[in-house]
Amino acid sequence: MKPLMILDNHFRQRDELFSADTYATLSELVDIHGGVDEAMPRSEIMERLPDAAFYVAARPELSAQDIAQAPNLKATIEVAGAFRDGLDYTACLDRGIEVLSCSPGFRNAVAEMALAMMLGAGRGLVAEHEAFRIGDESWLDDRCATDFTLYHQTIGFIGYGQIARETHRLLEPFSPKVLAFDPFVTDAETDVAFVDLNTLVRSCKVVVVAAVPSEETHGLLSATHIAAMQKGSVVILISRAWCADFDALVQHVQSGHIQLATDVFPDEPLAADHPLRRLKGVILSPHRAAAVKGGRHLIGDMILHDVRAILDGNPLRQLKPVDRGQVKSLVAAQLNLTATPNT
């Protein structure tokens, strides 16, 4: 008999997470209960839980008492994009149940968007597109005050996790100098220099905010840091507005000090009368960095890999295992976010 997987993917669509081939292969490994594009009743989850080896959900919710009724459970996997409240992490870890997040599965699509934003801002593509609409385009103009090439540019990452590393990989043809600041990462590759945050903001033409929201990263890119940035530099806000002083970003765009390309906002949807909607020097995206057909299929591929690895006794994981020491801070940040879930 195949191991049982409870798949309560709603609000996600099944086809959003899995390619047809990946889902078919997963179905050969485990007996999938669910996988429909509507929320599974709680009673149905609890009925199946005692037999389940895997519990995959947009927001897994299990108390210590629930976990005690799940003797076969090997792993819980969240598919929203972050560790949230509702799951007793201590009870899971004490029982040896793995707790995994799909967050690494966003890296390809989000890194692609980050690169597009860098190119769009650096080469003035959005600005000149809008200028064309009113007959004010700059023919053959270098736009020296605002535009720049990515070739041999100094680019900084605030947070050097999976999204930042994939963005860095995409930048390799431009031969940039890459700096990074991450309070949780100390293992520097040979092609990235870890520096303090003050040095990073002063040194970089492009600053990519890719930090994971936690209590420690709230407002990490502060008003003081933004004021210290080079004139004409660009902030790429690709993780969460939580990680930056968003009001200060808007103020420095208004003054012409910096440009801003952002996929995320403190409150979503952005208010119709928000000044950012009317400013020059911005590229605005409605939280859709990963929202492209097939853009989240890497999540399904990672689930397949890790389910197979767990069943085979292989310790390698592609999904993100929870860190017992950090999870409280990560969950607290999610409780304070007013924006929408990862897309």
Side-chain angles (χ1 to χ4, degrees), residues 111 176-177 242 289-290:
K177 177 181 179 181
W242 169 271

Side-chain angles (χ1 to χ4, degrees), residues 125-160:
L125 291 175
V126 173
E128 284 302 317
H129 171 81
E130 292 301 317
F132 258 100
R133 292 180 179 275
I134 59 173
D136 193 33
E137 67 273 12
S138 305
W139 291 94
L140 302 175
D141 189 344
D142 285 2
R143 290 170 44 98
C144 294
T146 56
D147 289 10
F148 55 88
T149 178
L150 289 183
Y151 280 96
H152 309 293
Q153 195 58 258
T154 303
I155 296 173
F157 291 96
I158 299 177
Y160 198 70

Side-chain angles (χ1 to χ4, degrees), residues 266-282:
D267 296 291
E268 296 177 0
L270 187 68
D273 61 350
H274 196 286
L276 200 57
R277 291 181 179 271
R278 300 183 297 277
L279 290 181
K280 294 182 178 180
V282 297

Side-chain angles (χ1 to χ4, degrees), residues 240-258:
R240 286 292 186 157
W242 169 271
C243 300
D245 185 327
F246 201 82
D247 289 341
L249 286 173
V250 174
Q251 291 168 7
H252 282 272
V253 171
Q254 286 175 317
S255 72
H257 178 210
I258 63 168

